[in-house]
Amino acid sequence: MHIVINTLYVQEIIIENICRTIYSSELQTCLLLDRPFVLLPSSTLNEKFSIQNGIQPDPSVIPSVKYFAIGNGGHKMVVGANGLTKTDPVQHRGTDAALYSHLPFILREISNDIDAVERAKYALRRKEVHNGTTYVAYYLKRLPLTGVVVDMEFINVTNGVQTVNAFVPNASNLNPTPPDLSSTGVNVVTGDYVAASAKVTITLSAADVAELLNVSTIIYGDPGYAIISEIGLCSGVDKVVQSPVDNNAMINFNEAIAVQVASFINTNFPLEYTNDGCVISLDIGSCEPNLSLSQQ
Amino acid sequence: MSNLSNYYQLYINSVIKLASTLVIKSAETADGLNSYVLDYYGSGALDTLNPHSWKYYMNISGEYHPTDAEMYVVSLDTLENIKFSKEILKTHLATYDGYKYGTRQYKELVNRYPDQELLIRGILYPIDIDVAINAKDGTILIYPTELIEYNEYSLITNLQNWIYGYKERWVNKQFGISDKLYPATALGIMYLNLVPAIINFRLAACKTNEAHSFHVHQYLASHGFLNTYLDTMTIKQALFFYRNIAYIERNSGKKEIFNWLIEHVMTERSLPIAEYEMRHNLANQPDELYPTLTFNKQPINSAGSANPKTVFSLNEVLDKEDSLARDNLEYKNLDMPVIKSAMENSLHNVQETKMLESSVIDYTNSSPYNIEDILLNHWLYLSSIDKYKAYVLVTNPKTDEKLSLSAKDAYILYLYCYCKSIGIKLEHIPNMIAYRVQQTITRINNHSTIVDFDILLKLVDQKIVNKSIIEFAVSMQPNIATIISTQAFYSTCTQIYDAAQMQRRLVSTQEHFIARGMVANAIDRIYADVVCDLVDGEMLYPDWFLARTLDIEDLSRDELVLLYSDILKQSTGLAVNTTSSLKTLQKAMVNLLSQLSSYTIQFVSEINDTNIKQTDWPSVRVGTVKGNNNAVIDVPNLFVDLIHYDTNVNSALKVDLSNDNVIGTIRTKDLISEKILFDFYAKLGHPGTIIFEIMNISNIQVKPTIPLVKNSMDVIPVIGIDKYLSLTQAQQQNMKDVYNSFISEPMPGNSQEDLDQLAASRYVVDRYVTPDYTT
């Protein structure tokens, strides 16, 4: 008997579900001011997983957010006063440099590794031994950024209702005039905002989910622990390195170095019940109030 | 010596002031005042059974007795004539300060009302009347707390015991029977003896943690003039050196003493200190003959350094010492090759240097909304709308004349003096813009409140910004009522400053990038930019001066600076020339460490000279997260919980009814279908989700327990068909229903086409049972 389940949800994130890190703040400041990026110890996933640890990116290259990691430590079960159990997110701190409990995307016996085409989608590859068997694990997956564009929007909120229009700068923006400050009375701001953001979609196919169920079975002996409850958007730099394969041979692998978590996102995907895959759409950007005065 | 005499005189003055202001319960005084009331106002003026009505207790609790004359003074806050009472002084804070014990105003008031000094002190330092009534005779009821130092824990207790002992030993109440003035005399002598008592208790506390600052000051002054650092030391630091300076002096040069000093001088004040270590970098060898010199900065204490750079070149290290001595810059170029050669040829590849560095960033006033801006703009705004109505007293620096100005006039004069001091002479009194001031909205009873909450909510999309965020944003905003004192104004502005700091952090904690912008805007809406009219219509400054008989035209630039600084300080309560900046502190602590260190070490320090302005750049954030799960689940039937079941079975038989014979093939599996509609608890973390599933079951087999046998037509019949076939045609046609949906209508005809049509359109039975030939 087959049951097809399709669940859609939208998280309007309030405070607790996302947490930016100090490492992304440092990276953004370096990027905007074109200052050298200094990779500090105890801040990279490379150090955590001992993969290309301490390898500095080329000074001319600034890391960018193009990977994501997943984990199953971003939730806890709580029993309410009514005796029912529910999941609650576990918040991260801005100084956290790793997920609470990382899950590799792939965990294959080293003799049964994924092929080169599939391998190119992943990073942070290393050998691991579970129950006496040697596996190869991939802890990072590349974000599908092809075709992703940054949109600028002009948002107006009047009486709590949001109206969004595309923002295209014109000659008046290049020749700005001072705001019209009334010479009498009280000048207050209105509800105008400008935002620049990019929509990035993370997709895990049915095959990806099958791999993750396999990962959970190998590590925990139970596919039920394949729960994606924390996602780390990660910055880093691609670097082709030698990586081990079967029979102590080495291959060229497009690894990620200087990998730091830029932002933590709490989710809840129990993959045992999401085995046909899942899609997570993220809107990433920045929004500022746009000075617009009215007289009170 | 004269310096010591001055300090000593100040100390003695403070002791006398403390002795004079101690309020000690005196039952004899209460009785004496009762006698006075009885004698002068008659028995009707005294209720002997009710101490609450006695003049003594009322006066020391700050209440007027019916026999007291009401005292009026000119408020130093508003220049209004106000009643001198404890209730009014709670709001007229400048007046309260101005009339404190020993001030000129206090003495003038006592001169005007010489019989009411007890009441005047009671108004200034009121005590709970019930406490006073129930207290034991001789109890210290109240004293000005500023006259007792933070660390003098037991001074009052000691004084209390001394007073009890004094009264026990020296006061003979019975003398009052014959000599009416004996109680007053005894009390006066006791107060006189309080002065040496206090001095002796403080002397006894020397070399303990309760030592008075005068003794600490004098002691440290005799040990390397460490008293010069007292202004920048905490009490803990001062007492540390007071206790240990002799030991430090005797053991200077020891490593443990140096570490001790680092801990108590630098770490105690969160000031970082680091040492420099020379290292040979061999990365370029053997291409280079000599190693490259690097200097690694290693932190000595746990305070974080402001400069994250840890590796320096020789040139960079020597640059840091340029300012330590006059000719360092010149000798650096001469000595550098020598230093370089010596270090390159060092027998050790790691060599400690004698340079220590303290690198600090001073974030004072780095906030986008600092207290100075808030004070200045709210001074302008609130005085222009008559919410800030205090009068300030400033001094003309040329004539020493005291000028009493309203807050608004003070701003007008401040503006003139400031502009003139920088070479701009204002002709007209201009309209000024007050930036980012908290709005006031007049509500009932003419009380102002903060911005209308509903307006803030309309500026945000509540799907993204929770209402509680906006509620929190305004939670610390002060309610601005009419302000009549500088202290109250400063306090209000401090609250606005604290609210602004909280609001900055609140904006930064918004994780949805749209929410961040919306919360920032809603917070901006609490404030406004207001154009302020300082005078009605246009007015020239000369006319304004004339109307107020002010003459400041001949003030020099320096005098103008003095005057506007005084106006700013008196009007806003802001201490203009504070000495507590981090730079001053760092310099003092480094000097102290350097002075107490016997090593030939060199201290360099690094700190920003000007205020740092934080830009509050927004970082890139994640906004709305949308998720889409897909699942295909193979569910074992055992786990399916059927709660609703329907069947809809189609069957068509092609039978030659007239001849009671089967013609053609009976279409079974193709024609039979069964649909099951059921609800399924999916166990996906969505309790109560009901999933509707349609399943096509192509075949259901039922095995009869009794084997079927062939009928007369030599076929194994479908169950029940025999009975049906045994009916006449008319009976068969009249049969309406077999199980649920069978409808039999008259045959349209007997042609093959009619039969096919009938078979295709009729529901015949609900279940089809496949015969089991094997059983």
Side-chain angles (χ1 to χ4, degrees), chain A residues 159-231:
Chain A
N159 293 327
V161 180
Q162 197 181 152
T163 309
V164 181
N165 290 301
F167 173 71
V168 180
N170 56 35
S172 67
N173 303 116
L174 206 53
N175 302 285
T177 54
D180 188 16
L181 196 66
S182 168
S183 59
T184 57
V186 178
N187 298 276
V188 293
V189 296
T190 61
D192 287 346
Y193 309 88
V194 281
S197 70
K199 290 165 182 63
V200 179
T201 301
I202 296 173
T203 303
L204 292 178
S205 67
D208 293 330
V209 172
E211 292 286 356
L212 281 162
L213 293 173
N214 181 50
V215 166
S216 178
T217 305
I218 293 170
I219 297 176
Y220 305 108
D222 184 346
Y225 290 101
I227 300 169
I228 301 178
S229 56
E230 49 180 344
I231 294 175

Side-chain angles (χ1 to χ4, degrees), chain A residues 9 46 70 110 131 143 146 174 207:
Chain A
Y9 72 89
N46 299 85
I70 55 173
I110 196 160
N131 295 321
L143 286 170
T146 306
L174 206 53

Side-chain angles (χ1 to χ4, degrees), chain B residues 35-245:
Chain B
S35 299
Y36 160 78
V37 171
L38 204 58
D39 291 345
Y40 283 84
Y41 299 96
S43 59
L46 178 66
D47 181 356
T48 54
L49 299 177
N50 181 15
H52 288 84
S53 66
W54 294 0
K55 179 174 168 58
Y56 175 75
Y57 291 118
M58 290 187 75
N59 282 176
I60 63 173
S61 63
E63 299 289 343
Y64 279 87
H65 187 264
T67 62
D68 292 325
E70 286 195 345
M71 298 178 285
Y72 286 87
V73 297
V74 176
S75 168
L76 300 179
D77 297 280
T78 62
L79 294 188
E80 295 168 333
N81 206 29
I82 58 169
K83 183 180 175 182
F84 193 75
S85 70
K86 62 179 181 181
E87 289 80 14
I88 291 177
L89 289 185
K90 282 179 184 173
T91 53
H92 291 249
L93 298 174
T95 311
Y96 173 77
D97 280 342
Y99 278 85
K100 276 186 175 175
Y101 176 81
T103 60
R104 181 174 57 84
Q105 285 89 346
Y106 174 87
K107 290 171 183 169
E108 284 177 359
L109 190 62
V110 172
N111 278 338
R112 283 168 58 200
Y113 303 96
D115 297 334
Q116 297 190 168
E117 187 171 5
L118 187 66
L119 172 60
I120 293 169
R121 289 200 201 182
I123 288 170
L124 290 170
Y125 310 108
I127 62 169
D128 188 307
I129 192 167
D130 290 317
V131 171
I133 292 170
N134 296 323
K136 178 183 171 185
D137 190 38
T139 302
I140 298 172
L141 295 174
I142 199 167
Y143 55 89
T145 51
E146 67 269 17
L147 297 177
I148 304 289
E149 295 196 340
Y150 169 80
N151 56 320
E152 293 184 297
Y153 315 116
S154 53
L155 177 62
I156 290 297
T157 307
N158 290 336
L159 277 177
Q160 183 65 77
N161 292 334
W162 181 88
I163 292 166
Y164 287 150
Y166 180 91
K167 290 179 85 74
E168 192 69 26
R169 170 66 181 82
W170 296 110
V171 177
N172 295 293
K173 290 185 179 178
Q174 64 274 25
F175 289 177
I177 299 170
S178 58
D179 299 280
K180 296 294 183 188
L181 291 178
Y182 173 76
T185 307
L187 194 62
I189 292 172
M190 187 186 78
Y191 267 93
L192 284 176
N193 279 294
L194 271 176
V195 174
I198 294 169
I199 290 173
N200 286 332
F201 281 127
R202 283 179 166 163
L203 274 172
C206 283
K207 301 302 285 181
T208 74
N209 59 341
E210 293 194 48
H212 188 269
S213 60
F214 168 74
H215 297 294
V216 176
H217 179 278
Q218 296 307 111
Y219 184 80
L220 291 182
S222 62
H223 287 269
F225 297 104
L226 292 191
N227 59 316
T228 54
Y229 302 106
L230 274 175
D231 287 343
T232 48
M233 283 185 192
T234 61
I235 291 179
K236 186 178 176 185
Q237 281 183 308
L239 290 176
F240 167 78
F241 285 109
Y242 181 61
R243 177 189 173 95
N244 297 305
I245 188 63

Side-chain angles (χ1 to χ4, degrees), chain A residues 1-2 5-7 9 11 18 20 28 160 162 187 190 193 269 273 275-277 279 281 283 285 288 296, chain B residues 439 458-459 461 508 511 516 521 529 619-621 623 625-634 637 684:
Chain A
M1 186 188 303
H2 283 322
I5 299 172
N6 184 287
T7 309
Y9 72 89
Q11 282 178 290
I18 296 181
R20 290 158 291 133
Q28 288 174 57
Q162 197 181 152
N187 298 276
T190 61
Y193 309 88
F269 291 98
Y273 302 99
N275 60 358
D276 206 26
V279 178
S281 300
D283 202 3
E288 280 288 283
Q296 193 178 49
Chain B
Q439 297 177 70
K458 289 177 182 175
L459 291 174
D461 185 343
S508 70
E511 294 295 352
R516 184 214 167 271
N521 200 40
D529 297 339
S619 61
V620 173
R621 291 164 154 80
V625 177
K626 295 179 181 175
N628 181 354
N629 304 355
N630 299 310
V632 175
I633 300 175
D634 294 322
N637 286 345
L684 284 180

